[in-house]
Every structure is written in structure tokens, then in C-alpha cells.
Amino acid sequence: MASSPTVLIRLVASAYSIAQKAGVIVRNVMAGGDLGIVEKTSSIDLQTKADRLVQMSICSSLAQKFPKLTIIGEELVVWVDPLDGTKEYTEGLLDNVTVLIGIAYEGKAIAGVINQPYYNYQAGADAVLGRTIWGILGLGAFGFQLNEVPDGKHIITTTRSHSSKLVNDCISAMNPDNVLRVGGAGNKIIQLIEGKASAYVFASPGCKKWDTCAPEVILHAVGGKLTDIHGNTLQYHKEVKHMNSAGVLATLRNHDYYASRVPETVKKALVP
């Protein structure tokens, strides 16, 4: 199944539609007033009613349309984050929130869909909320306007809620002009492709494969690059470790510049 371009297009089209419906679920839960928040491992690792409903919706919809697909088998793997930026969602930072559906073949991320449920939410009461960005390697990425940070500017986007000395040491070594601390891996990649940041630097093992699969495709489809802190390509086959234990380094341009500035102390602390 994975070798058929027709099946891939059908899968991406389904993921696009499903992601849009997921965005509606996310907004409806917020509007209902009961987020149903539970702590998974700590007070900054949260799950909401929206996480649970979106996960159920995505998995059941894909299972109905692609009954032989294992969501997470064989060579084709789907990585789903039903609510990327959950903590920010609970705090009302709604533009940080995304729904992520990534598709990998033979361990390589090849297609991805990002829904931003609250895109345009600050534009007024009559604004149309939400957008869906999608991409396929070799075809391109769509649903946004590609922009770049001006030459010579070094703007870093990084974690808002999972900072540490290691994270901050790595950022300082980049000699940034500005640092943006926001939630959600999907949101940070959107900042790169829309010219709000030049590098996403996260020197920590906190990120998971479902956080990076879909965003990586969007970034790579427009000429960017996402690796771990050592410069290694991430793998997305079904047996892979879910944690991105060596962190994340992503750029739209000049990846080598940022990779060369990662301190050796940081590299030694983050084992692939």
C-alpha cells in the first residue's frame, strides 16, 4: 500500500479533511467551558478533553478509510498529535495550538498536515477561524505564505514551558538577536516558514516523534531542515523510540550555521 502514490494522495486528502474536523472539535471543547484537564506526568504535561476527542476522531476516521493501516504498520506509519501545545490551550494561548498528522514511509517523513484551529482568532468576532497547512515531499507545501527572516538576523524560537539550563546555554551560543518562547512544535515550524523565526532550537529530550513528523515534512518541502542537535536525521519507523532524546534543531535556511554553534557540552548531554 505504501508504495502507491495514489494511496498516499488519498491518505493525505483524508488527513486534511480529518484535521479540519479536529480543529472544530478543539474550538467546541474550549467554547463549552469544561476542558477536562488531567495531568499525565506533571503539571506541565497535560491532557484535555480535546486531546481525547481528537485522538478518537482521527484514529477512527483513518481506520474506517484505511483498515489495513496501523496508526502510530508495516512500512507506512501515521504519527498523530491530537493537540500540540496542550498547556498553552489550557492557558488561553490559542494561536500556539495545532493538530498534527504526519505520514512516514520506510522511516522517512514524507507527508504532513497541520491544522491551526485558532488561526485568525485575534482578528475580530467576524473572523473565519482556523487553517490547514499540508505538504508532500517532492510536491511542495500549501496553505500559507512562505516568508523568511531578513538576512543577518538570528531569531530563535524555543520552548515556553520546558526550559532548562541546557536549553538556555544552547540558545545563548547561537548569539540570537531575539528569542521567542512559545508553545507547540507545530507552531514553531510555522514561525520558521512564515519568517517570524530563523531557527527552532530545543536542546532537551522532551519532544516526541508525533510532535515533529508532520512539521518536518512541511519544512523540508520548502527547502528547510529538521534534525536532532547533533545534525542527525530523525527516523519515523514503527519500532523507533518515540522520544527525540537528542533534541531538535530546525531551520528554514542556514542550518549548518546553527548546527556549528551547538556547544560540545550540550551534545555530550543529549545522547541520540
Side-chain angles (χ1 to χ4, degrees):
M1 181 178 73
S3 61
S4 169
T6 303
V7 171
L8 176 60
I9 295 298
R10 284 180 52 220
L11 182 54
V12 173
S14 294
Y16 183 96
S17 175
I18 291 165
Q20 288 189 307
K21 292 176 183 176
V24 174
I25 293 172
V26 170
R27 292 194 294 271
N28 286 345
V29 170
M30 178 62 72
D34 178 14
L35 299 187
I37 301 169
V38 297
E39 293 184 7
K40 292 192 290 184
T41 59
S42 71
S43 60
I44 61 173
D45 187 13
L46 306 177
Q47 184 188 79
T48 69
K49 183 178 179 181
D51 290 85
R52 297 186 287 276
L53 290 177
V54 169
Q55 182 78 34
M56 188 184 308
S57 175
I58 291 174
C59 291
S60 63
S61 295
L62 287 177
Q64 287 174 11
K65 295 181 180 181
F66 302 91
K68 295 183 179 179
L69 177 67
T70 301
I71 303 171
I72 98 98
E74 302 307 328
E75 298 167 328
L76 190 67
V77 183
V78 178
W79 295 88
V80 174
D81 190 340
L83 194 65
D84 182 40
T86 298
K87 190 171 191 299
E88 285 68 32
Y89 180 65
T90 66
E91 296 174 354
L93 299 174
L94 302 178
D95 53 345
N96 287 205
V97 176
T98 59
V99 177
L100 308 176
I101 304 175
I103 301 166
Y105 177 60
E106 294 185 338
K108 182 178 181 179
I110 61 169
V113 176
I114 302 176
N115 179 270
Q116 241 183 331
Y118 285 96
Y119 174 74
N120 218 26
Y121 88 110
Q122 294 177 321
D126 297 328
V128 177
L129 294 180
R131 66 170 170 176
T132 301
I133 295 169
W134 65 281
I136 299 176
L137 285 188
L139 180 63
F142 310 91
F144 65 97
Q145 182 64 49
L146 181 65
N147 284 299
E148 298 184 28
V149 171
D151 288 344
K153 280 283 188 181
H154 300 291
I155 303 174
I156 304 298
T157 183
T158 192
T159 181
R160 172 180 171 268
S161 56
H162 296 82
S163 193
S164 66
K165 184 179 185 302
L166 206 63
V167 170
N168 292 330
D169 286 349
C170 192
I171 291 170
S172 296
M174 305 291 173
N175 193 27
D177 296 298
N178 193 18
V179 179
L180 308 176
R181 297 185 184 275
V182 300
N187 180 41
K188 295 179 185 73
I189 296 304
I190 290 173
Q191 289 189 320
L192 296 184
I193 62 178
E194 294 192 326
K196 296 175 183 175
S198 44
Y200 166 25
V201 180
F202 187 45
S204 170
C207 208
K208 310 288 198 313
K209 294 295 186 299
W210 46 78
D211 295 311
T212 53
C213 186
E216 175 179 320
V217 175
I218 305 298
L219 184 61
H220 284 193
V222 294
K225 191 172 184 178
L226 187 150
T227 67
D228 68 14
I229 286 296
H230 299 267
N232 299 317
T233 301
L234 301 186
Q235 294 293 311
Y236 295 95
H237 55 81
K238 67 174 183 176
E239 304 297 339
V240 76
K241 180 170 59 176
H242 291 177
M243 183 79 73
N244 292 323
S245 57
V248 175
L249 177 63
T251 61
L252 181 60
R253 305 286 181 259
N254 304 317
H255 194 84
D256 290 346
Y257 168 83
Y258 294 98
S260 69
R261 300 185 74 89
V262 176
E264 287 301 317
T265 53
V266 171
K267 292 180 180 180
K268 290 178 181 178
L270 295 175
V271 180

